[in-house]
Amino acid sequence: DFLFFWGAVFLVTTTLVALLKKENKELTPTKEETKGITDTYRLLFSIIKMPAVLTFCLLILTAKVGFSAADAVTGLKLVEEGVPKEHLALLAVPMVPLQIILPLIISKYTAGPQPLNTFYKAMPFRLLLGLEFALLVWWTPKVKHEGGFPVYYYVVVLLSYALHQITLYSMYVAIMAFNAKVSDPLIGGTYMTLLNTVSNLGGNWPSTVALWLVDPLTVKECAGAQEQTCGTTVAAEV
């Protein structure tokens, strides 16, 4: 119902924009960025060939490898250990005001001449939170009782996620600010789109690999059948 409602709102609003919004033909841009798709990709290729841009792209493609497992797998492991999915979903509600306020606060520190300093400072704390998340998953079955989980457990989870959001947004806002700062104003849209796309890709591929590696790296034991291995999905089902 939630998805259906907002999907309908999205369709209605975008359709109204398409039907009612008219372009102002009197105001013509002084200089167009590109003339077509071919020119756009030729321009992107020329940008990415620049040594500084190429080095930066390689850096942001690999910068998030260290905390990809913690980001992608923690929630799934908590559910596997018995934490109700609806409780984890409810913990996301207090995060919303934090997610709104954080960029406003962090932007003050990324508005200077060196926005990536915030990125560098946040990285070790985010890596440490990965260890904290691992301890949280290890601790979860130890505090579970018949009625579920105690209130203090959810407080710890909430605080852990709040600290994680601070480090995540510190890095996110810093990289966006840097991309905006270094983009050539004449081709700003194309330049920023390229850098932001690479930045997003740098967060997505490590998470995908982390999820793919969960089963091969998980150690399982078969209760009551010592001769039986549980290394594969088929064996675990048997």
Side-chain angles (χ1 to χ4, degrees), residues 55-64 67 106-107 109-111 114-120 122-123 126 167-183 191-203:
T55 304
F56 178 64
C57 287
L58 289 172
L59 287 170
I60 56 177
L61 276 172
T62 54
K64 298 177 183 177
F67 29 78
I106 297 164
S107 60
Y109 301 96
T110 57
Q114 295 178 317
L116 279 186
N117 281 353
T118 307
F119 184 95
Y120 298 143
M123 181 172 274
R126 194 168 171 187
T167 57
L168 187 151
Y169 272 82
S170 295
M171 295 179 71
Y172 177 77
V173 174
I175 206 79
M176 292 295 116
F178 180 80
N179 291 347
K181 194 171 186 63
V182 300
S183 297
Y191 214 127
M192 279 194 68
T193 301
L194 172 66
L195 295 179
N196 290 344
T197 301
V198 174
S199 180
N200 290 333
L201 186 62

Side-chain angles (χ1 to χ4, degrees), residues 89-156:
L90 280 173
L91 291 178
V93 176
M95 295 294 113
V96 174
L98 186 67
Q99 290 166 351
I100 295 170
I101 295 166
L102 277 174
L104 298 172
I105 298 171
I106 297 164
S107 60
K108 295 178 182 177
Y109 301 96
T110 57
Q114 295 178 317
L116 279 186
N117 281 353
T118 307
F119 184 95
Y120 298 143
K121 289 174 183 176
M123 181 172 274
F125 292 103
R126 194 168 171 187
L127 288 168
L128 286 171
L129 278 170
L131 294 174
E132 196 268 338
F133 278 179
L135 289 171
L136 184 66
V137 172
W138 171 81
W139 181 55
T140 298
K142 299 185 184 302
V143 294
K144 186 180 180 182
H145 51 73
E146 289 183 6
F149 292 88
V151 176
Y152 67 83
Y153 171 78
Y154 288 109
V155 172
V156 171

Side-chain angles (χ1 to χ4, degrees), residues 20 22 32 69 83 138 151-152 157 162 185 187 194 204 236:
L20 303 177
K22 303 297 180 185
E32 290 187 7
V83 181
W138 171 81
V151 176
Y152 67 83
V157 174
I187 50 171
L194 172 66
N204 290 333

Side-chain angles (χ1 to χ4, degrees), residues 64-77 80 201-218:
K64 298 177 183 177
V65 171
F67 29 78
S68 57
D71 289 3
V73 185
T74 301
L76 298 173
K77 282 294 177 185
E80 192 179 273
L201 186 62
N204 290 333
W205 81 261
S207 297
T208 305
V209 173
L211 287 168
W212 182 71
L213 288 172
V214 169
D215 271 351
L217 295 177
T218 299

